C-alpha cells in the first residue's frame, strides 16, 4: 500500500465535506439528495482503503513504515506530520469508516425531508474525516489538532437542530466539558515541548509518537514525570470518553439526530479517548499509579452509568448510559494491562452499540417519541427492528455466543488474572455492571416492544404531568396502526433496515471472527490479540477462565430474567424493587449536573467565588495598573518640560551635552 492511498482515507471524507458545503448547498439547495450520495461514496471509498490497509498490516505482521514529513521548525524542534500505520491504526480505521458508512446509508431515510439535509451530511463528512485524521496521526501535536476537530464536529452535530434551546445547550455543554479534559492533553504536549532537550540529545523528536515510546522505554523521563505525563493524556481521554466525573455531557448529546448519536457513541468521539490511552499505552504502562487511576476510574464509571440507565425512561438515554458504562469497561481493561481485550471490546462494541442507536431511531420513526413509557407492543408493527434490537441487546448483555460475550469475558478474566488489589476491586465492579447491563437493556426492550401500546406521541402530552403514573391505555396493534395511518406506522424504510441488518450480522459474528477460542476455517484462533499487541510488546492469546465466563453468563441471564419478571410478564411490580432514596439519586444523576450547572456556573459561584475574583481584580490588579500608569505619567510630565519647542533651547542642550561627553573623555 502506498502512502498516498493511506492519505486518501482522510482526504475522501474531507473532500465530501468541501463539496457539500461549498458547491452542493449553495448551487443545488439545502435539501439536495446528492449530498447523501457524495458522502456515502466518499466514506465507502475510505472504508475499502481501510480494509486494504488492514490486509497490508496483517500480511506484513506489523507496522507499515512511512517517514513523517517536516511541517514547521520552531527553534530546535521539528514539527512533523505523517501516518503511523500500525495494527491499532488499521483496526480503528476499519471500525470508524465501517460504522460511519452504515450510519450514512441509514441517514438517507432518517433525515429525508429535513431542511438541513446537505448541512447534516457536510458535518458528518467532517466528523468522519476528523476521527480518521486522529487515528492516522504520527505525532501528538497532529493528534491534538484532529482531537479538537472531533470536538468541533460533535458540537456542530449535537446542536444540529440549533433552533431548539435544549439542543443548543447540549452542544455547548459537550464542548465546554470536553475542553476541561483537553486542557490536560494540552499540558502533556507542552511538557514534551519544554523537555525536547532530553529527546534531542538522543536524536529523538519530543512530539513524535514513536520517539515518545523510545524515550519512555530508555528511561529518559523520570518516574514522576512519566506519571504526570500519563495523567495529562488521561485527562483528555476522560473528557472525550465521558468517564467519571466528566461524563455529564454524553446523555445530553442525545439532542442531536439519532444517527449522530450512533456515530458519536459507537465509533468516533467517545472511542477517541480509549484510542488515546491505547496509543500512549507505553507511557501509562511505565507508571503503576497511572494504570491504577485508569482502572479505578473505569470501574466506577461502569457501575455509576449502569445504575443511571436502570431508571432512565428515554430509550436513547438508556443506550447512552450504556455507552458510558461500556467505555468504563474498556478503560478498566487498559488499567489492568489488558490492552488486547480493551481494543477487542471497542471493536465489538462499535457494531452492537451502533445497532442499538439505529434501532432507537427506527422506533421513534414509528411511535414519534423516545419515551419508553409511551411505547409498547411495537414488535408486531416493526418485526425487523425488534429482531435486530434483540440481537444488539443480547450482544451488549454478553450472552453466549454473540460478540459482546467474548470481549466482556476477556476483560473479566484479565482483571481477575492480574491479581492485584486494584484489579480484584475493578473485577467485582465489572461483575456488578454486567448484571445491571443485562437488566437495563432488556427493561428497554420489554417496555418498547412487548405488552400493549401505551399512546405514543399523542399520549405523551397528556401524561407528562404524571411521569410516575403507569399508563394503562388498552390499545391493541390494530387500533395502533389505524390511529397512525401515516409514514410513521409500520416498519422503517429499507434504507434504515439494511444498515441495521449489516450491523446485526457483525454483532453476532465479530466475536467469532476476531477472537474465538477455537480456529475457524482460514482464520487462526485469537488472531486479534496476537495481531493487536501494545507497542514494544508481543501478541499473546487472551486469558480464558471457565468459571469467570460461566459466572458472567449467569449474571447476564439473571439480569434478563429479572427484567422479564418486572417489565415483560409484569409479575413483580417495579415499586417493590425500588429503594426511593437510591431511585431519586440515580434519576438526579447523582446530583453532578446540579453541582456543575447550579453551583459552579450558578449564583453561588458567581456571587461568592467570582465576587472575590472581581474584588481582587478591582482592588489589586486595577490599583497596581493605575499606580504604574500614574508613575509613567508623572515621569513623562517631568521629561515633557524639556520639550519647549524653541530651537535655541535644543541647540544649547546639544552643545552642552557634547561638552559633557568631551569632558568625560578628557578626564578618562
Amino acid at each position: 500500500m502506498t502512502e498516498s492511498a493511506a492519505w486518501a482515507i482522510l482526504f475522501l471524507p474531507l473532500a465530501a465535506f468541501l463539496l457539500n458545503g461549498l458547491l452542493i448547498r449553495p448551487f443545488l439547495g439545502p435539501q439536495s439528495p446528492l449530498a447523501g450520495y457524495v458522502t456515502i461514496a466518499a466514506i465507502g471509498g475510505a472504508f475499502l482503503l481501510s480494509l486494504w490497509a488492514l490486509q497490508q498490516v496483517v500480511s506484513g505482521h506489523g507496522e507499515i513504515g512511512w517517514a513523517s514529513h517536516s511541517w514547521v521548525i520552531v527553534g530546535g524542534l521539528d514539527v512533523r506530520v505523517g501516518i503511523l500505520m500500525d495494527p491499532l491504526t488499521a483496526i480503528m480505521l476499519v471500525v470508524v469508516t465501517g460504522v460511519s458508512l452504515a450510519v450514512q446509508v441509514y441517514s438517507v431515510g432518517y433525515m429525508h425531508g429535513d431542511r438541513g439535509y446537505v448541512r447534516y451530511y457536510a458535518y458528518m463528512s467532517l466528523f468522519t474525516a476528523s476521527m480518521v485524521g486522529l487515528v492516522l496521526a504520527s505525532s501528538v501535536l497532529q493528534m491534538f489538532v484532529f482531537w479538537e476537530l472531533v470536538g468541533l464536529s460533535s458540537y456542530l452535530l449535537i446542536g444540529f437542530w440549533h433552533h431548539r434551546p435544549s439542543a443548543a445547550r447540549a452542544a455547548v455543554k459537550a464542548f465546554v466539558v470536553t475542553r476541561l479534559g483537553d486542557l490536560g492533553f494540552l499540558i502533556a504536549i507542552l511538557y514534551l515541548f519544554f523537555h525536547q532537550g532530553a529527546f534531542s540529545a538522543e536524536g529523538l523528536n519530543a512530539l513524535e509518537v514513536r520517539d515518545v515510546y523510545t524515550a519512555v522505554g530508555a528511561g529518559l523521563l523520570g518516574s514522576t514525570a512519566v506519571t504526570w505525563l500519563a495523567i495529562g493524556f488521561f485527562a483528555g481521554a476522560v473528557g472525550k470518553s465521558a468517564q467519571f466525573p466528566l461524563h455529564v455531557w454524553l446523555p445530553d448529546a442525545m439532542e442531536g439526530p439519532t444517527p449522530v448519536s450512533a456515530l458519536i457513541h459507537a465509533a468516533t468521539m467517545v472511542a477517541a479517548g480509549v484510542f488515546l490511552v491505547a496509543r500512549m499505552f507505553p507511557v501509562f504502562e511505565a507508571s503503576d499509579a497511572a494504570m491504577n487511576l485508569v482502572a479505578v476510574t473505569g470501574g466506577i464509571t461502569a457501575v455509576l452509568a449502569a445504575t443511571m440507565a436502570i431508571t432512565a425512561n428515554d430509550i436513547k438515554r438508556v443506550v447512552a448510559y450504556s455507552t458510558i458504562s461500556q467505555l468504563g469497561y474498556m478503560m478498566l481493561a487498559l488499567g489492568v494491562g489488558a490492552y488486547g481485550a480493551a481494543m477487542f471490546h471497542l471493536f465489538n462494541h462499535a457494531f452492537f452499540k451502533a445497532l442499538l442507536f439505529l434501532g432507537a431511531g427506527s422506533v421513534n420513526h414509528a411511535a414519534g417519541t423516545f419515551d419508553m413509557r409511551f411505547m409498547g407492543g411495537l414488535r408486531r408493527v416493526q418485526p425487523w427492528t425488534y429482531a435486530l434490537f434483540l440481537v444488539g441487546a443480547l450482544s451488549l448483555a454478553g450472552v453466549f455466543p454473540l460478540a459482546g460475550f467474548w470481549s466482556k469475558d476477556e476483560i473479566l478474566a484479565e482483571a481477575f488474572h492480574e491479581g492485584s488489589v486494584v484489579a480484584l476491586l475493578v473485577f467485582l465492579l465489572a461483575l456488578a455492571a454486567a448484571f445491571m447491563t443485562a437488566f437495563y437493556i432488556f427493561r428497554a426492550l420489554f417496555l418498547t416492544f412487548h405488552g400493549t401500546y401505551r399512546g405514543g406521541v399523542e399520549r405523551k402530552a397528556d401524561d407528562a404531568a404524571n411521569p410516575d403514573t403507569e399508563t394503562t391505555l388498552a390499545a391493541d396493534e390494530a387500533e395502533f396502526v389505524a390511529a397512525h395511518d401515516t409514514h410513521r406506522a409500520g416498519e422503517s424504510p429499507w434504507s434504515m433496515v439494511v444498515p441495521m441488518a449489516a450491523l446485526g450480522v457483525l454483532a453476532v459474528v465479530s466475536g467469532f471472527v476476531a477472537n474465538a477460542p477455537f480456529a475457524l476455517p482460514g482464520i487462526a484462533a485469537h488472531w486479534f490479540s496476537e495481531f493487536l499487541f501494545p507497542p514494544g510488546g508481543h501478541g499473546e492469546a487472551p486469558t480464558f477462565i471457565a468459571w469467570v465466563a460461566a459466572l458472567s453468563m449467569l449474571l447476564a441471564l439473571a439480569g434478563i430474567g429479572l427484567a422479564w419478571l418486572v417489565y415483560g410478564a409484569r409479575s413483580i411490580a417495579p415499586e417493590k424493587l425500588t429503594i426511593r432514596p437510591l431511585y431519586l439519586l440515580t434519576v438526579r444523576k447523582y446530583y453532578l449536573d446540579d453541582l456543575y450547572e447550579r453551583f459552579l456556573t450558578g449564583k453561588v459561584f458567581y456571587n461568592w467565588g467570582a465576587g472575590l475574583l472581581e474584588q481582587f481584580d478591582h482592588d489589586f490588579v486595577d490599583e497596581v495598573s493605575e499606580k504604574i500608569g500614574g508613575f509613567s505619567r508623572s515621569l513623562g510630565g517631568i521629561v515633557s518640560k524639556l520639550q519647549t519647542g524653541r530651537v535655541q533651547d535644543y541647540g544649547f542642550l546639544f552643545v552642552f551635552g557634547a561638552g559633557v561627553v568631551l569632558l568625560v573623555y578628557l578626564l578618562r
Side-chain angles (χ1 to χ4, degrees), residues 41-67:
I43 296 178
F47 176 60
L48 293 176
L49 290 171
S50 299
L51 290 175
W52 185 21
L54 177 61
Q55 183 272 327
Q56 291 289 293
V57 175
V58 171
S59 61
H61 303 288
E63 181 180 326
I64 299 177
W66 292 311

Side-chain angles (χ1 to χ4, degrees), residues 106 110 161 164 256-259 314-316 357-371 375 378 382 385 448-449 456-457 460 480 484 487-490 492 496:
Y106 177 94
Y110 191 88
W161 288 315
R164 290 163 42 187
T258 297
D314 185 304
I315 189 171
K316 280 178 67 176
F357 268 111
L358 298 186
S362 182
V363 166
N364 175 62
H365 195 266
T369 179
F370 288 108
D371 196 324
M375 295 184 188
L378 295 181
Q382 293 190 299
T385 298
T448 301
F449 294 99
V457 70
K460 184 173 183 179
F480 167 63
H484 292 74
H487 70 283
R488 292 183 181 276
S492 298
M496 296 170 64

Side-chain angles (χ1 to χ4, degrees), residues 248-270:
V248 294
W249 67 269
L250 194 59
D252 291 349
M254 298 303 96
E255 293 293 337
T258 297
V260 171
S261 303
L263 194 56
I264 287 178
H265 288 241
T268 51
M269 184 170 177
V270 296

Side-chain angles (χ1 to χ4, degrees), residues 200-224:
S200 300
E202 300 295 328
L204 303 174
N205 189 312
L207 298 182
E208 286 288 294
V209 172
R210 297 183 186 93
D211 290 353
V212 173
Y213 295 163
T214 303
V216 171
L220 297 182
L221 301 175
S223 58
T224 302

Side-chain angles (χ1 to χ4, degrees), residues 2-51:
T2 62
E3 185 182 359
S4 58
W7 279 112
I9 303 174
L10 167 63
F11 289 127
L12 280 173
L14 189 59
F17 163 69
L18 295 174
L19 281 173
N20 286 332
L22 300 179
L23 294 177
I24 295 177
R25 191 167 185 267
F27 295 104
L28 299 181
Q31 292 180 282
S32 173
L34 182 61
Y37 302 134
V38 167
T39 300
I40 291 170
I43 296 178
F47 176 60
L48 293 176
L49 290 171
S50 299
L51 290 175

Side-chain angles (χ1 to χ4, degrees), residues 29-385:
Q31 292 180 282
S32 173
L34 182 61
Y37 302 134
V38 167
T39 300
I40 291 170
I43 296 178
F47 176 60
L48 293 176
L49 290 171
S50 299
L51 290 175
W52 185 21
L54 177 61
Q55 183 272 327
Q56 291 289 293
V57 175
V58 171
S59 61
H61 303 288
E63 181 180 326
I64 299 177
W66 292 311
S68 57
H69 310 280
S70 182
W71 179 32
V72 63
I73 297 177
V74 181
L77 181 65
D78 184 10
V79 180
R80 307 180 69 82
V81 296
I83 293 176
L84 176 55
M85 186 63 76
D86 63 356
L88 176 61
T89 301
I91 290 292
M92 287 296 298
L93 285 175
V94 172
V95 170
V96 171
T97 57
V99 174
S100 180
L101 178 60
V103 169
Q104 309 315 321
V105 175
Y106 177 94
S107 299
V108 171
Y110 191 88
M111 297 299 294
H112 176 72
D114 191 278
R115 290 178 296 176
Y117 187 84
V118 177
R119 179 167 56 92
Y120 169 85
Y121 272 107
Y123 291 167
M124 289 292 261
S125 301
L126 178 62
F127 197 16
T128 304
S130 301
M131 189 64 193
V132 168
L134 171 63
V135 170
L136 289 172
S138 66
S139 77
V140 289
L141 185 59
Q142 186 181 347
M143 287 173 63
F144 186 74
V145 170
F146 286 105
W147 182 273
E148 292 303 310
L149 277 175
V150 168
L152 171 64
S153 305
S154 65
Y155 167 79
L156 295 172
L157 285 167
I158 293 169
F160 178 75
W161 288 315
H162 50 79
H163 56 277
R164 290 163 42 187
S166 58
R169 287 195 301 269
V172 172
K173 184 176 182 179
F175 193 80
V176 171
V177 172
T178 54
R179 290 294 78 72
L180 295 175
D182 294 352
L183 178 62
F185 190 1
L186 180 59
I187 291 173
I189 295 174
L190 291 174
Y191 179 87
L192 291 172
F193 176 80
F194 286 118
H195 288 78
Q196 58 182 300
F199 287 78
S200 300
E202 300 295 328
L204 303 174
N205 189 312
L207 298 182
E208 286 288 294
V209 172
R210 297 183 186 93
D211 290 353
V212 173
Y213 295 163
T214 303
V216 171
L220 297 182
L221 301 175
S223 58
T224 302
V226 170
T227 298
W228 283 110
L229 185 63
I231 290 173
F233 286 127
F234 185 57
V238 166
K240 277 288 192 292
S241 287
Q243 298 294 285
F244 173 84
L246 299 183
H247 63 277
V248 294
W249 67 269
L250 194 59
D252 291 349
M254 298 303 96
E255 293 293 337
T258 297
V260 171
S261 303
L263 194 56
I264 287 178
H265 288 241
T268 51
M269 184 170 177
V270 296
V274 178
F275 169 79
L276 177 62
V277 176
R279 173 60 81 208
M280 307 309 298
F281 191 72
V283 178
F284 287 86
E285 203 172 23
S287 170
D288 290 338
M291 292 289 279
N292 290 337
L293 176 64
V294 173
V296 172
T297 301
I300 292 173
T301 302
V303 172
L304 284 183
T307 59
M308 289 185 281
I310 290 174
T311 55
N313 292 314
D314 185 304
I315 189 171
K316 280 178 67 176
R317 286 182 180 265
V318 171
V319 184
Y321 284 124
S322 165
T323 298
I324 299 173
S325 183
Q326 296 305 303
L327 291 167
Y329 261 102
M330 298 171 206
M331 289 296 187
L332 179 159
L334 288 168
V336 299
Y339 179 92
M343 300 315 297
F344 182 35
H345 196 55
L346 186 151
F347 178 77
N348 286 337
H349 173 264
F351 303 128
F352 61 72
K353 185 51 57 66
L355 172 59
L356 290 171
F357 268 111
L358 298 186
S362 182
V363 166
N364 175 62
H365 195 266
T369 179
F370 288 108
D371 196 324
M372 297 181 296
R373 293 169 297 179
F374 308 99
M375 295 184 188
L378 295 181
R379 62 194 171 108
R380 297 187 186 90
V381 176
Q382 293 190 299
W384 282 102
T385 298

Side-chain angles (χ1 to χ4, degrees), residues 59 185 260 391 422 431 523 560 660:
S59 61
F185 190 1
V260 171
V391 168
V422 171
L431 285 177
I523 300 175
I560 295 171
V660 171

